[in-house]
Amino acid sequence: MHRFLFLVSFLLSTMAASAQRDTLITITSSGGLQFDQKRLIVKPNTRLRLIFQNKDDMAHNLVVTRPNSRLRVVEFALALGAKGPAQHHVPVMDDVLAHTTSIEPGNSDSLTVTLAEGAYPFVCTYPGHGSIMYGVIYATNQPKLLPAPETDRNLPNPERTAEAAHHHAAASGHPYSLQLPAVYRTFMPDCGPAAIAVGLPGPEGGQSYVFDAGQCRLRYAWSGGFVDNTEQWDGKGQRFTKLVGDIYFRDTGGFPWKIGTTKQEVPQFKGYRLINQYPEFRYIVNGVEIRELIKPMASGRGLVRIFTLSPSKQPVTFVTTSQPGIHFKPSVGRVQNGAIQLPNGTRQFSLTVSTL
């Protein structure tokens, strides 16, 4: 009898101890590439279930790494290139302890990980996100000994980042060295809240453009630099990113596609994939899927917009916005009265937008 009671008592105490080590935490994404919680504190050997809710209008993931491994994981994720989407933009390497899948807006996923004592970064490894969208999990029995958040080097801090890479800012207008093409989901002036800034390679600072994912269209393009995101890194995430360079093209019209003869539906943005580091945007309107890849001209100032359309028997028209000093050159058809009527069955065409 005593032996039975001892076993029952032992099992109950083990269950209680296990329950104390199980922790559930929910994290959400917020505007400006931010996690709503950037510093989590748990006891060592806690079995942590982390739920990530994506409340942004862009897909994200959440990756927990080994201590001091965030930048390395982000670099390997970027190097995945076209393989990234199939792997949820998560590289296969020992530095990755746990991760969610790619999470579309409005959805959620979870991960479970047990952490010994230490500081474990968590980060979104989507292209262009990992530099500012991150935080840290501290597994410790002495939380009072942790650094204050404003001095914590495991947390995003604009002043510290700018100081650490000051020599890059003078040359590029950006607080750290960038490898172009570069993709940033951020807040841009004269654009909707779902702006995607893309920096392109080229001489004299290259060219850049902003794609509005909310309206599924190119908003403007500039040359002479990319962006300075420093003011986004104070955790508020609502400030406009500074544009570096001079705008040479601005689309003042609306959504450029006219599909069919019936009422035009609101276009639906379906994300993007990387092709040799260049983003190819995908959106659907009136049952037609359109993919748009934008590259710089081989020489001169201008963009080559490459469109791929799903099969459709509906008439398709692309509307251009005339402006001084800008020339439009389509690969099929020609511009008449500010519009390009595509031949029936056209599956792909390009439009070069250049300065005269």
Side-chain angles (χ1 to χ4, degrees), residues 50-119:
L50 203 56
I51 299 176
F52 179 37
Q53 298 177 339
N54 187 4
K55 295 185 177 181
D56 199 3
D57 51 17
M58 180 64 62
H60 295 293
N61 65 17
L62 191 151
V63 180
V64 179
T65 79
R66 294 186 185 276
N68 304 311
S69 299
R70 176 181 62 85
L71 290 176
R72 176 178 165 84
V73 171
V74 169
E75 290 174 359
F76 273 76
L78 185 61
L80 290 174
K83 298 179 181 179
Q87 295 182 210
H88 307 288
H89 298 284
V90 180
V92 178
M93 54 192 305
D94 291 340
D95 289 332
V96 173
L97 297 180
H99 66 88
T100 66
T101 59
S102 297
I103 307 173
E104 296 296 324
N107 294 330
S108 64
D109 193 17
S110 65
L111 61 84
T112 301
V113 63
T114 301
L115 304 174
E117 187 168 3

Side-chain angles (χ1 to χ4, degrees), residues 158-173:
E159 289 78 12
R160 183 174 61 245
T161 305
E163 179 182 359
H166 176 72
H167 62 286
H168 291 300
S172 66

Side-chain angles (χ1 to χ4, degrees), residues 4-234:
F4 173 76
L5 293 175
F6 171 79
L7 289 174
V8 171
S9 176
F10 174 78
L11 289 173
L12 290 175
S13 63
T14 301
M15 292 173 62
S18 176
Q20 290 175 359
R21 291 196 299 268
D22 288 353
T23 299
L24 173 65
I25 297 177
T26 298
I27 292 182
T28 65
S29 57
S30 57
L33 296 179
Q34 300 288 323
F35 291 110
D36 68 330
Q37 299 181 73
K38 299 177 180 62
R39 187 156 87 161
L40 309 177
I41 302 174
V42 299
K43 291 185 178 297
N45 302 313
T46 292
R47 184 170 59 189
L48 172 64
R49 184 186 177 206
L50 203 56
I51 299 176
F52 179 37
Q53 298 177 339
N54 187 4
K55 295 185 177 181
D56 199 3
D57 51 17
M58 180 64 62
H60 295 293
N61 65 17
L62 191 151
V63 180
V64 179
T65 79
R66 294 186 185 276
N68 304 311
S69 299
R70 176 181 62 85
L71 290 176
R72 176 178 165 84
V73 171
V74 169
E75 290 174 359
F76 273 76
L78 185 61
L80 290 174
K83 298 179 181 179
Q87 295 182 210
H88 307 288
H89 298 284
V90 180
V92 178
M93 54 192 305
D94 291 340
D95 289 332
V96 173
L97 297 180
H99 66 88
T100 66
T101 59
S102 297
I103 307 173
E104 296 296 324
N107 294 330
S108 64
D109 193 17
S110 65
L111 61 84
T112 301
V113 63
T114 301
L115 304 174
E117 187 168 3
Y120 299 86
F122 61 89
V123 60
C124 175
T125 56
Y126 262 66
H129 297 194
S131 303
I132 54 177
M133 190 173 180
Y134 63 92
V136 63
I137 306 170
Y138 283 109
T140 178
N141 288 314
Q142 297 178 304
K144 293 183 179 180
L145 299 182
L146 296 177
E150 58 271 16
T151 61
D152 191 341
R153 290 188 168 273
N154 289 308
L155 301 178
N157 183 295
E159 289 78 12
R160 183 174 61 245
T161 305
E163 179 182 359
H166 176 72
H167 62 286
H168 291 300
S172 66
H174 203 275
Y176 56 86
S177 179
L178 278 175
Q179 182 179 359
L180 300 177
V183 183
Y184 271 74
R185 163 67 176 87
T186 186
F187 289 101
M188 295 293 292
D190 302 321
C191 190
I196 302 174
V198 180
L200 303 173
E204 300 179 1
Q207 302 182 73
S208 306
Y209 69 87
V210 168
F211 188 88
D212 190 331
Q215 298 187 17
C216 300
R217 66 186 182 98
L218 174 69
R219 293 300 289 258
Y220 51 85
W222 69 96
S223 60
F226 185 32
V227 295
D228 182 352
N229 245 348
T230 304
E231 291 189 359
Q232 287 274 2
W233 297 356
D234 61 359

Side-chain angles (χ1 to χ4, degrees), residues 101-354:
T101 59
S102 297
I103 307 173
E104 296 296 324
N107 294 330
S108 64
D109 193 17
S110 65
L111 61 84
T112 301
V113 63
T114 301
L115 304 174
E117 187 168 3
Y120 299 86
F122 61 89
V123 60
C124 175
T125 56
Y126 262 66
H129 297 194
S131 303
I132 54 177
M133 190 173 180
Y134 63 92
V136 63
I137 306 170
Y138 283 109
T140 178
N141 288 314
Q142 297 178 304
K144 293 183 179 180
L145 299 182
L146 296 177
E150 58 271 16
T151 61
D152 191 341
R153 290 188 168 273
N154 289 308
L155 301 178
N157 183 295
E159 289 78 12
R160 183 174 61 245
T161 305
E163 179 182 359
H166 176 72
H167 62 286
H168 291 300
S172 66
H174 203 275
Y176 56 86
S177 179
L178 278 175
Q179 182 179 359
L180 300 177
V183 183
Y184 271 74
R185 163 67 176 87
T186 186
F187 289 101
M188 295 293 292
D190 302 321
C191 190
I196 302 174
V198 180
L200 303 173
E204 300 179 1
Q207 302 182 73
S208 306
Y209 69 87
V210 168
F211 188 88
D212 190 331
Q215 298 187 17
C216 300
R217 66 186 182 98
L218 174 69
R219 293 300 289 258
Y220 51 85
W222 69 96
S223 60
F226 185 32
V227 295
D228 182 352
N229 245 348
T230 304
E231 291 189 359
Q232 287 274 2
W233 297 356
D234 61 359
K236 296 180 181 178
Q238 301 298 321
R239 299 177 182 174
F240 285 130
T241 291
K242 292 181 179 179
L243 181 152
V244 179
D246 299 309
I247 295 176
Y248 67 85
F249 169 73
R250 189 184 295 273
D251 190 342
T252 57
F255 182 68
W257 293 94
K258 305 297 181 184
I259 309 292
T261 58
T262 60
K263 181 180 178 181
Q264 194 80 0
E265 298 177 353
V266 176
Q268 301 294 318
F269 184 66
K270 296 298 182 180
Y272 67 87
R273 63 173 180 168
L274 294 180
I275 300 179
N276 295 325
Q277 305 306 314
Y278 290 90
E280 182 188 59
F281 304 105
R282 173 174 168 254
Y283 43 95
I284 296 176
V285 61
N286 282 32
V288 175
E289 179 185 275
I290 302 171
R291 296 179 182 270
E292 180 173 358
L293 179 68
I294 302 176
K295 291 188 173 184
M297 291 173 49
S299 62
R301 187 167 66 168
L303 302 175
V304 180
R305 306 173 66 182
I306 304 168
F307 301 98
T308 303
L309 290 73
S310 64
S312 175
K313 296 182 180 180
Q314 305 178 78
V316 178
T317 302
F318 186 90
V319 179
T320 63
T321 304
S322 176
Q323 59 182 276
I326 294 295
H327 177 67
F328 297 99
K329 183 181 178 181
S331 62
V332 296
R334 58 194 180 98
V335 180
Q336 289 183 305
N337 300 319
I340 304 168
Q341 181 67 50
L342 300 185
N344 291 337
T346 297
R347 295 291 308 278
Q348 187 176 77
F349 90 104
S350 65
L351 177 65
T352 301
V353 182
S354 62

